[in-house]
Amino acid sequence: RIFVLGIGFFTLCFLMTSLGGQFSAKRLGDSPFTIRTEVMGALESRGVLRRMSDMLEMLMKRMDVLARLENSTDFHKGDEARFPLDRFQPAAGLMERIQAIAQNVSDIAIKVDQILRNSLLNGKVMEGRRDQCEVPRDPKYPDCAGKVEWMRARWTSDPCYAFFGVDGTECSFLIYLSEVEWFCPPLPWRNQTAAVPSPPPRPPVQAAFQSDLAHLLELIGTGKESLSFMKKRIRHLAQQWLRAARRLEQKLKGRQRDQKHILIHIGFLTEESGDVFSPRVLKGGPLGEMVQWADILAALFLLGHSLRVTVSLKELQSHLGVPPGRGNCPLTSPLPFDLIYTDYHGLQQMKQHMGLSFKKYRCRVRVIDTFGTEPAYNHEEYATLRGYRTNWGYWNLQPTQFMTMFPHTPDNSFMGFVSEELNQTERQLIKSNKVSSMAVVYGKEASIWKGKEKFLAILNKYMEIHGTVYYETQRPPEVPAFVKNHGLLPQHEFQQLLRKAKLFIGFGFPYEGPAPLEAIANGCVFLQARFNPPHSSLNHEFFRGKPTSREASVSSQHPYAEDFIGKPHVWTVDYNNSEEFEAAVKTIMRTQVDPYLPYEYTCEGMLERIHAYIQHQDFCTTLSPPLPPKAKSPAMQSPPSPLALSPNATHLVWSPSASRDPRAWPPVDSLQVWVSESQHTCTETCRRHGLVCEPTFFRFLNKEEVFLQLSITCDSTEYEMNHLYPAVAENVHECYLQKEPLLFSCAGYNTKYRRLCPCRDFQHGQVALCRDCL
């Protein structure tokens, strides 16, 4: 009996909870199509009420049977007989309560029926109206009919459509396609139920330099070895960052800076992308990406911007306002972030879950891209037609939205990272403690040492060799016995090792990591191999599949160190030539060098660079070339170029009489136009003149008259999609202009063409910025 009573009581609780769920799940305002939803909710609720009433009645009948059975049968004797009767007394009270609840449920059912009758009458009127919608024929919305046809066939393919109120009727399709998406014109009869207008834009808040990194460490969070590594790095460099922030604040002299709301989504650390880095942090895995992300976080925070940090897909969806479903629908509200810093993994996740909103907001994205993305790989149609398609390219972003670890292509923005700076006392101490016969090998993974016995044997004749190769139980067999292997060292212990060593030697891999800069900053000479021919996606497996050709640019393990630092700090030799290799080792032992760190890899240099990007880079506003000076003769068919021949007639510069757009960045005064040799890229052409290629200036020289100003004969001029244009094929006097602005590129060459190259000046030690760019 007690068991039956318990079952009955919990059944009652369950039914009442279900009833509450039926009503709460269909709240008014949950959907723009409330009337139909509420009617359906009421029908379902009435069924629940009826089932509840029937079960209560059945429960009362069973309890009545038990009571009659109790009166007619004596189950117990003496004192024991009183126990079940005493225990059963509360059941009588429970029966009375159940009877009262049953009566209330019956009354509720009657009221629901009354509400239903009125709702159904109103619903039929509205339903008739909703089913009478016709697809509008408006030339301003040419895709409307096709989108409606798609919705008829596929509206159930993603729950997000139902979330926005689509229910299979023509009207719901049109309301969705006009009010949530924008493929159809608004329905006239929807004026009274227009959506709530978007809130007014936030008033600008001035950014103020921060001086307490504790809040940033809280924002980064916990739970992953990668996050712990980044937080340790930020804490270690905290004083260095704070000093740099104070210096930049003084340099800017109170200049007004708007505070940006920034989302930082580190996609490669999400579980959905595999997060292969976190487990390898303590095992010698690559740390370059995490070094860079830690420094980006520190710089953005110290500049005074409002940050949100995510390393999970669920957090990303929450911050973006992604509707429930499979990601086909737009965001539920305007994007609350001015900028989003992410990587290729995060970019893919955003595209999958933002629907059409991704195309709308992608101009706010900044992609941290270690090796860069060249325009030929970025433009989807061109990459597909010309064989440049890879797993990572074809995003159709502005190429400068990709931000790289080193300035290996001006087509992308150089983000960088920082290395630890030394004060004068530390520099002197390092110089006095250097061991001229001590070398450290660049390579924490045993596979890097494989096949390097020849180099190591020559080096061992002159120097004591140290390694930092990870191992768990026994020494890796790839590391020779004469090498003193320290195992994987914490960062500060590795720094101490570099401060004693004279030589830091690379064996060709990894490419372009942060360690060589750290070694040079600690007074080491970096020795690396020259690649002949240069490594690229055309001849080396590592670069295949990456969205960059890197033709002729990867001439060594670390091209930045070779091109921007050089001797005496960096030696690049042919490792296949034993005599050249041995001579370099002996010369390095006799060479005295001071610790050296390029300004762009200091905390102040990185803060300065990111400040300039945030203030000046705007990919959501399209800038057109400024108007040239007025034509002298009305008979002229085309306005004159804003460019003029330089005094020595070797190149073009910005004409003093041409107008300037104050929003243009970099400033147009820094522009110079040079013609490349047939075997040179624009990157190399500008470098040969002590300049940097500036892809944002291509728009000023993509004109037929520019060829004439440079005395180039054009028997014909064609507009085509080609990442090498504008260019001239001199042997046939054919000139070519760029048809697709996204393909303007400093990279690439063809012996058939001489290219028109836009170059600019740059600050010493800060190649990303021109002299007047800050």
Side-chain angles (χ1 to χ4, degrees), residues 328-506:
N328 290 308
C329 298
L331 303 181
T332 57
S333 59
L335 186 70
F337 300 103
D338 302 303
L339 294 170
I340 299 177
Y341 286 81
T342 189
D343 52 24
Y344 261 123
H345 293 282
L347 195 63
Q348 184 65 43
Q349 291 167 352
M350 288 167 58
K351 183 178 181 181
Q352 289 175 346
H353 295 277
M354 290 176 67
L356 291 174
S357 294
F358 178 78
K359 184 176 181 180
K360 180 179 180 180
Y361 293 120
R362 65 183 176 182
C363 61
R364 304 188 191 184
V365 174
R366 306 293 184 266
V367 184
I368 307 305
D369 177 12
T370 304
F371 291 97
T373 298
E374 294 175 5
Y377 294 82
N378 172 61
H379 191 280
E380 183 174 12
E381 179 185 356
Y382 185 77
T384 303
L385 292 174
R386 300 296 185 93
Y388 290 103
R389 194 175 178 106
T390 67
N391 292 333
W392 301 103
Y394 60 87
W395 287 95
N396 293 325
L397 300 177
Q398 293 292 334
T400 39
Q401 287 180 255
F402 297 98
M403 298 187 149
T404 58
M405 184 173 284
F406 290 95
H408 33 55
T409 171
D411 291 325
N412 304 147
S413 297
F414 164 46
M415 171 60 76
F417 58 94
V418 304
S419 287
E420 189 168 359
E421 299 175 70
L422 305 175
N423 59 38
Q424 193 61 34
T425 302
E426 291 171 326
R427 293 164 65 91
Q428 291 299 325
L429 187 63
I430 287 175
K431 289 180 65 175
S432 61
N433 290 336
K434 279 291 178 183
V435 179
S436 61
S437 60
M438 178 178 173
V440 175
V441 174
Y442 180 19
K444 294 178 291 186
E445 297 184 12
S447 59
I448 296 173
W449 295 65
K450 190 174 182 179
K452 306 302 188 297
E453 296 83 2
K454 181 179 178 181
F455 314 135
L456 289 168
I458 296 175
L459 185 61
N460 188 47
K461 289 166 55 178
Y462 303 96
M463 307 183 85
E464 180 182 85
I465 305 174
H466 294 250
T468 57
V469 183
Y470 169 79
Y471 65 93
E472 291 183 351
T473 56
Q474 59 184 8
R475 182 187 182 92
E478 294 87 350
V479 180
F482 55 77
V483 174
K484 185 177 181 180
N485 186 30
H486 299 262
L488 191 63
L489 294 177
Q491 187 68 11
H492 69 280
E493 293 184 26
F494 181 62
Q495 293 276 353
Q496 295 301 319
L497 189 65
L498 292 177
R499 292 183 179 188
K500 292 180 181 179
K502 177 73 173 183
L503 176 66
F504 189 64
I505 180 171

Side-chain angles (χ1 to χ4, degrees), residues 571-592:
W571 289 63
T572 305
V573 302
D574 182 4
Y575 278 23
N576 293 321
N577 186 329
S578 299
E579 294 180 357
E580 182 182 356
F581 178 81
E582 188 169 357
V585 171
K586 290 191 289 187
T587 304
I588 289 170
M589 292 179 67
R590 298 191 303 266
T591 304
Q592 295 295 321

Side-chain angles (χ1 to χ4, degrees), residues 1-72:
R1 289 193 301 255
I2 299 303
F3 175 76
V4 172
L5 286 173
I7 292 296
F9 178 73
F10 284 112
T11 302
L12 175 63
C13 293
F14 172 76
L15 288 171
M16 293 182 72
T17 303
S18 300
L19 178 62
Q22 290 291 334
F23 284 116
S24 63
K26 303 293 181 180
R27 294 188 305 271
L28 286 170
D30 277 358
S31 165
F33 310 101
T34 55
I35 292 180
R36 181 177 177 86
T37 304
E38 289 305 310
V39 170
M40 293 303 294
L43 287 170
E44 294 166 0
S45 299
R46 182 172 65 177
V48 172
L49 286 168
R50 287 177 176 173
R51 291 194 299 272
M52 186 174 176
S53 180
D54 292 343
M55 293 187 71
L56 285 169
E57 184 178 354
M58 183 180 299
L59 182 60
M60 290 179 62
K61 288 179 179 178
R62 291 182 178 177
M63 291 185 68
D64 186 55
V65 171
L66 286 172
R68 289 199 301 270
L69 183 63
E70 180 67 29
N71 293 333
S72 61

